[in-house]
Amino acid sequence: MNTQASSRHGGVIDVIVPVYRDFPATRRCLESVLASREHCREAFEIVVIDDASPEPALSRWLGGLAETGAVTLRVNAENRGFVHSVNVGMALHPGRDVVLLNSDTEVANDWLDRLAAAARRSPRTGTVTPFSNNATICSYPFDGWEGGVPGGLGLAGLDRLFARTLAGRTAVIPTAVGSCMFIRRACLEAVGGFDEAAFGRGYGEENDFSRRAVRAGWDNRLAADVFVFHAGGASFGEARFGLQADGMSALERRHPDYRYHVKRFVEADPLRPLRNAIDRARLDPGGEEARAVRDEWRQRHRLEGRDFGPEAVQLHVGHGWGGGIEGWVQGFCRADAHRRNLVLRSRTDRNAAGFCLELLEPARGPEPLMRWTLATPIRATDPDNPEYAAILRAIRLEFDVGAVIVSSLIGHSLEVLRTGLPTMVVLHDLYPFCPALFAHVDGHECSRCELADLARCHTANP
């Protein structure tokens, strides 16, 4: 056994890797975990379960690692499947927290430190799952992405971006994802191991465990500041489709409300702001990475059936006060059947005309597509605002905006007038030329606005 000499919390974590086939993927996985020892302060032991691999070269290589003390190796006498192998690994060292890691994953940097920290932020956290390119509800850039590690930063670079941008962020999720799954030992003892009788060789067992954990009062959480690569399907190959169907049947018999909870989570999409934050961080430098983000957005739109092709997209800009502007914009969008119309509106509180921004598509309903809370709210209208400019740039790239129609600058920044796109300003009122909006003071229409008149208006106009 080879573990680090010290740990931030004094305990050793077992990283359990069940192995069956695919020597190249398994080698990349284990070498990435071994390399992460240089970065992780948490002490961990790598426990490999060779599930009677049909690849002699793979088994020999695993044996060599074990002889050097790099890993602890257990070999099944016959192929028993993923669930059995996981249970063997979890029972090896009672008292230790564990991480289940598929043999076709790769990790980077101090990944385990961040997973463990996410688990320890709340005493009721039972499981923790990181973001991954292939992790269903915990996928980035989106569920269904098939392009490997997104963009050009590489796994280590993208993981560092997650660590920096979403440091310490977590979110409750309905189920863990088994490709990389931290399980707190107290939760494991309370809930019991994976159910081999019900789930056989694999698929659905981690979802069953997660829902049993919820029933017992534990939370499943996403560690938003960790990104792990997952190739997917390395061990089971084409057989995975039948196993998935069988696993889902077993899962629904045990948890009839499982689909409901996942569907409600997907529809609410509480992880979207986290994914958006990573998108914005990748967009900021521009260049190839920004182009990669834009391509990912287009792929997601096609997957969601929202591919507008060459059709023009118009961005309306207004406030969230309702009234005449909202009526005009809504009427415009209803009448315009030839273009896609989006609305960027500011939301106002007592201290700022724009404390957040919302992007809507009236043709799809009243719920915002995206929402951003501004770190520095806009008091009235900002001459320039880097945060606003970054959000505007992200909207332009994601939705291929071709024109801008400004109905109000209340709660916005003048960057909206400097996009370089065809821009129309509709004067529903006289703001920002008149801070009182309608050029009235003391019940009379203003016929002039010299500096003295403006000063009087600011102090005396109700």
Side-chain angles (χ1 to χ4, degrees), residues 406-429:
V406 179
S407 287
S408 178
L409 287 165
I410 292 172
H412 293 273
S413 171
L414 295 185
E415 268 106 353
V416 79
L417 302 178
R418 299 194 291 266
T419 64
L421 298 173
T423 300
M424 176 166 62
V425 178
V426 183
L427 293 178
H428 300 269
D429 49 50

Side-chain angles (χ1 to χ4, degrees), residues 294 309-316 339-342 395-405 419-424:
R294 182 176 181 177
E311 188 174 354
V313 179
Q314 295 181 144
L315 179 66
H316 296 262
R339 286 171 290 271
R340 184 182 188 186
N341 287 277
L342 305 173
I395 294 170
R396 287 180 54 199
L397 289 172
E398 174 168 1
F399 296 96
D400 285 333
V401 174
V404 179
I405 300 176
T419 64
L421 298 173
T423 300
M424 176 166 62

Side-chain angles (χ1 to χ4, degrees), residues 285-335:
E288 290 297 324
E289 196 65 19
R291 281 187 282 274
V293 173
R294 182 176 181 177
D295 184 62
E296 291 156 19
W297 283 336
R298 286 173 171 167
Q299 291 186 53
R300 188 180 78 236
H301 293 160
R302 286 195 292 270
L303 192 67
E304 295 173 349
R306 297 192 288 125
D307 185 6
F308 280 78
E311 188 174 354
V313 179
Q314 295 181 144
L315 179 66
H316 296 262
V317 178
H319 55 60
W321 296 358
I325 287 180
E326 181 174 352
W328 186 88
V329 171
Q330 293 289 336
F332 185 107
C333 295
R334 285 194 300 270

